[in-house]
């Protein structure tokens, strides 16, 4: 009999863990997976999926208004929060069930409880006390929302985990943070009729994104009715007798709101896992330090996804999990390339981006040709909506290669996914230029920009 109970023990049935477990099992490995919450992980249960469904819901507000310009008479629309909340919850339950079926179908043994690492090859299940000897351990425990820095009264705020389950739609919401999660929820709730204030300690939103996109989105969010308090921090949160939360700010007056959503960042989920006792090296924010093959400092322990704090997105976690399983159990070694990961921010208007920002390209020493276009989308001409689409192409002047594409506007996420194929293939500006435009569309602008920005 083998000295191990399983070939692979996966901690966390989220995006990365589930993919790795299924692929490894398909390669013939004996696999067990533990999940302490709901199968599916952050993306399915409290991230991408329910969030995007909220985004769809929020955009009907403008569709109703725009319809009038096209001849429709729409009775004054009203919105029912419990209907949306419960429909989204049901869809999440359906998807979680599909994830479970996928694991069962792949013959992965499931343990629905918290797993703890006790050594390079040993684990303990917290509730049942079951101990398991595993040839390999994969940590795919994701991340958790952090109130950063902690403040007095911080417990009066909620995180993105709870926002999907609000008992009722608040009149006012304070969203704290300037990253994509904060902005997406601010954008959603303002369109659902909530008076939203966005407070962020930085001078501008979305650090790390292209400057032109940041500034234009900031202006668009303000135009949509979100009150922006930038360059501002909260000293403390106070509970008023009527249940309202009062945020006392370092600058400017206090802000009152029924709900305070804190989205100031996420931390890798490694606290109390037992990794240090097994000798696994952690980084400054608690992330598991891994090499390009997702191997930790302990040869039998690997890690994928948000817990490694590389690029914290679902498709990245999935790809890392797949590469890990193919490499270790399928005799097909490969690793994930973390360059050129396309991403979107599902605010309204939304962002789609791939490749370097202008500042990154400049810092990397590229001589750049920059192409820009800002235009009114066709639909807005008749609807009368004040809306513009912005596109920016960054081209290496020496090789003509496309280094970055940034889009702000309707369907930017959908457009950028297709553009990312070309950019990943190493497309040049000449390739874009010889591509025939598809008319009438917004995306045709990507292949019709002829004149580089002066200077
Ligand atoms: C609000 C929000 C919106 C997002 N939107 C997007 C988006 O639009 N697009 C995108 O690509 N990404 C998005 N993300 C990020 C995405 O959800 C993550 O990058 C992705 O889920 C990471 O996958 P993972 O496998 O690393 O971890 P997770 O999916 O977080 O899975 C980790 C799992 O491990 C479990 N676990 C933790 N510790 C233990 C333990 N000791 N024992 C057993 N189980 C354990 C957890 O319960 C969890 O289910 C969003 C995230 C949030 C919070």
């Amino acid at each position: 009999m083998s000295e191990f109970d399983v070939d692979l023990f996966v901690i966390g049935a989220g995006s990365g863990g589930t993919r790795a477990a299924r692929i490894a099992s398909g390669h013939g490995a004996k696999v067990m997976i533990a999940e302490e919450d709901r199968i599916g992980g952050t993306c399915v249960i409290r991230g991408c999926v329910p969030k995007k469904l909220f985004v769809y819901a929020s955009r009907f507000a403008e569709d109703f208004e725009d319809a009038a310009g096209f001849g429709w008479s729409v009775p004054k629309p009203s919105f029912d929060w419990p209907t949306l909340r419960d429909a989204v919850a049901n869809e999440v339950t359906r998807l979680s069930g599909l994830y479970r079926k996928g694991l069962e179908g792949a013959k992965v043994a499931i343990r629905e409880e918290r797993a703890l690492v006790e050594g390079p090859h040993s684990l303990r299940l917290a509730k049942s006390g079951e101990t398991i000897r595993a040839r390999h351990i994969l940590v795919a425990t994701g991340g958790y929302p952090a109130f950063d820095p902690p403040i007095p009264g911080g417990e009066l705020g909620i995180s993105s985990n709870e926002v999907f389950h609000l008992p009722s739609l608040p009149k006012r919401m304070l969203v704290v943070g300037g990253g994509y999660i904060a902005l997406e929820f601010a954008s959603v709730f303002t369109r659902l009729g909530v008076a939203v204030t966005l407070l962020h300690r930085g001078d501008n939103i979305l650090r790390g994104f292209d400057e032109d996109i940041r500034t234009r989105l900031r202006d668009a969010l303000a135009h949509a009715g979100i009150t922006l308090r930038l360059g501002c921090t909260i000293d403390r949160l106070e509970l008023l007798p009527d249940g309202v939360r009062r945020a006392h700010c370092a600058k400017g007056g206090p802000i009152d709101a029924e709900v305070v959503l804190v989205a100031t960042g996420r931390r890798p989920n490694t606290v109390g896992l037992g990794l240090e006792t097994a000798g696994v090296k952690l980084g400054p924010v608690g992330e598991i330090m891994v090499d390009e093959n997702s191997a930790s400092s302990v040869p039998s322990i690997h890690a994928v996804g948000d817990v490694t704090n590389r690029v914290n997105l679902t498709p990245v976690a999935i790809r890392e999990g797949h590469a890990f399983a193919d490499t270790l159990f399928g005799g097909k070694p490969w690793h994930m390339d973390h360059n050129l990961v396309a991403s979107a921010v599902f605010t309204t208007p939304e962002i789609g981006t791939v490749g370097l920002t202008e500042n990154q390209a400049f810092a990397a020493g590229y001589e750049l040709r920059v192409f820009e276009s800002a235009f009114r989308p066709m639909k807005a001409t008749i609807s009368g909506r004040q809306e513009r689409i912005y596109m920016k192409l960054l081209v290496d002047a020496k090789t003509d290669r496309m280094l970055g594409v940034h889009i702000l506007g309707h369907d930017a996420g959908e457009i950028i996914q297709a553009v990312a194929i070309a950019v990943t293939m190493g497309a040049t500006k000449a390739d874009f230029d010889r591509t025939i435009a598809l008319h009438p569309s917004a995306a045709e602008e990507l292949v019709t920009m002829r004149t580089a920005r002066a200077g």
Side-chain angles (χ1 to χ4, degrees):
M1 203 186 125
S2 161
E3 59 181 304
F4 299 111
D5 303 310
V6 293
D7 299 311
L8 174 64
F9 191 99
V10 181
I11 312 180
S15 307
T18 309
R19 173 61 67 95
R22 289 177 55 180
I23 299 298
S25 186
H27 288 314
K30 190 174 176 195
V31 184
M32 186 180 278
I33 194 166
E35 173 53 57
E36 67 175 344
D37 198 301
R38 292 176 72 188
I39 291 175
T42 303
C43 180
V44 173
I45 308 293
R46 58 194 93 86
C48 338
V49 171
K51 182 267 313 267
K52 187 79 188 276
L53 291 169
F54 276 22
V55 170
Y56 285 129
S58 72
R59 288 182 180 166
F60 282 103
E62 290 178 354
D63 290 345
F64 291 128
E65 285 172 15
D66 291 353
F70 289 86
W72 292 92
S73 40
V74 183
K76 190 175 168 358
S78 63
F79 171 72
D80 184 53
W81 166 254
T83 303
L84 172 68
R85 182 197 57 202
D86 298 349
V88 169
N90 289 340
E91 175 58 9
V92 163
T93 300
R94 188 184 73 84
L95 287 176
S96 179
L98 288 182
Y99 267 68
R100 176 191 298 277
K101 266 201 193 129
L103 287 168
E104 288 169 353
K107 309 226 169 335
V108 174
I110 303 174
R111 295 289 186 274
E112 290 184 66
E113 55 178 308
R114 182 167 171 80
L116 301 166
V117 176
E118 297 211 306
H121 294 282
S122 57
L123 299 118
R124 185 169 50 83
L125 295 175
K127 212 161 56 187
S128 59
E130 188 182 358
T131 56
I132 291 120
R133 303 262 312 147
R135 188 183 302 275
H136 297 280
I137 296 171
L138 179 68
V139 185
T141 50
Y144 65 92
F147 201 146
D148 207 13
I151 54 157
E155 69 285 353
L156 295 169
I158 61 166
S159 76
S160 60
N161 290 350
E162 291 79 45
V163 80
F164 296 106
H165 309 289
L166 292 175
S168 58
L169 200 62
K171 280 213 298 279
R172 295 163 297 181
M173 181 183 278
L174 170 62
V175 179
V176 188
Y180 81 95
I181 293 176
L183 299 182
E184 288 175 340
F185 284 117
S187 183
V188 161
F189 282 100
T190 200
R191 280 176 174 75
L192 296 183
V194 178
V196 176
T197 300
L198 182 95
L199 182 143
H200 174 48
R201 65 181 167 192
D203 289 334
N204 201 356
I205 55 172
L206 278 186
R207 190 158 54 92
F209 282 71
D210 192 87
E211 290 299 321
D212 286 305
I213 295 277
R214 296 175 73 188
T215 305
R216 284 166 190 268
L217 178 64
R218 182 196 65 201
D219 295 347
L221 294 179
H223 183 75
I226 298 172
T227 304
L228 298 176
R229 294 269 293 258
L230 301 178
C232 191
T233 51
I234 299 182
D235 288 337
R236 67 187 169 93
L237 282 178
E238 179 192 1
L239 183 63
L240 301 184
D242 56 359
V244 169
R245 275 81 175 137
R246 174 163 290 173
H248 296 273
C249 307
K251 204 172 78 183
I255 302 166
D256 289 351
E258 286 74 28
V259 170
V260 177
L261 169 63
V262 181
T264 47
R266 294 176 61 81
R267 288 278 165 85
N269 219 341
T270 50
V271 179
L273 254 186
L275 292 164
E276 296 91 331
T277 41
V280 175
K281 231 187 238 149
L282 302 182
V285 290
E287 74 276 24
I288 299 181
M289 308 287 284
V290 290
D291 65 13
E292 62 179 14
N293 291 312
S294 297
S296 79
S297 54
V298 175
S300 57
I301 301 183
H302 286 66
V304 295
D306 286 10
V307 75
T308 63
N309 202 25
R310 287 176 278 183
V311 178
N312 297 334
L313 291 171
T314 288
V316 175
I318 290 174
R319 202 48 88 84
E320 289 168 358
H322 201 132
F324 156 81
D326 274 353
T327 301
L328 236 74
F329 300 101
K332 292 189 268 181
W334 63 281
H335 61 260
M336 152 101 203
D337 178 2
H338 290 86
N339 294 309
L340 285 182
V341 177
S343 69
V345 177
F346 292 106
T347 42
T348 305
E350 71 185 37
I351 294 174
T353 173
V354 64
L356 300 179
T357 67
E358 190 171 342
N359 282 348
Q360 287 167 343
F362 187 71
Y366 286 104
E367 193 188 317
L368 281 181
R369 285 194 301 145
V370 180
F371 296 82
E372 284 177 301
S373 180
F375 56 97
R376 197 168 183 206
M378 196 187 218
K379 192 176 168 194
T381 56
I382 284 193
S383 70
R385 181 165 299 286
Q386 290 306 308
E387 178 190 338
R388 291 181 83 70
I389 296 183
Y390 174 73
M391 294 180 178
K392 182 180 200 176
L393 307 180
L394 301 171
V395 179
D396 179 1
K398 283 207 180 101
T399 62
D400 199 41
R401 201 162 57 89
M402 198 64 71
L403 296 172
V405 179
H406 307 276
I407 304 174
L408 176 70
H410 200 64
D411 283 339
E414 301 290 341
I415 296 170
I416 210 72
Q417 176 65 92
V419 171
I421 301 170
V423 176
T424 303
M425 290 172 76
T428 59
K429 178 67 168 63
D431 291 324
F432 275 53
D433 290 345
R434 71 191 168 88
T435 303
I436 307 293
L438 186 151
H439 185 72
S441 68
E444 68 180 306
E445 202 71 19
L446 289 168
V447 299
T448 56
M449 287 187 231
R450 293 282 177 262
T451 313
R453 192 173 71 193

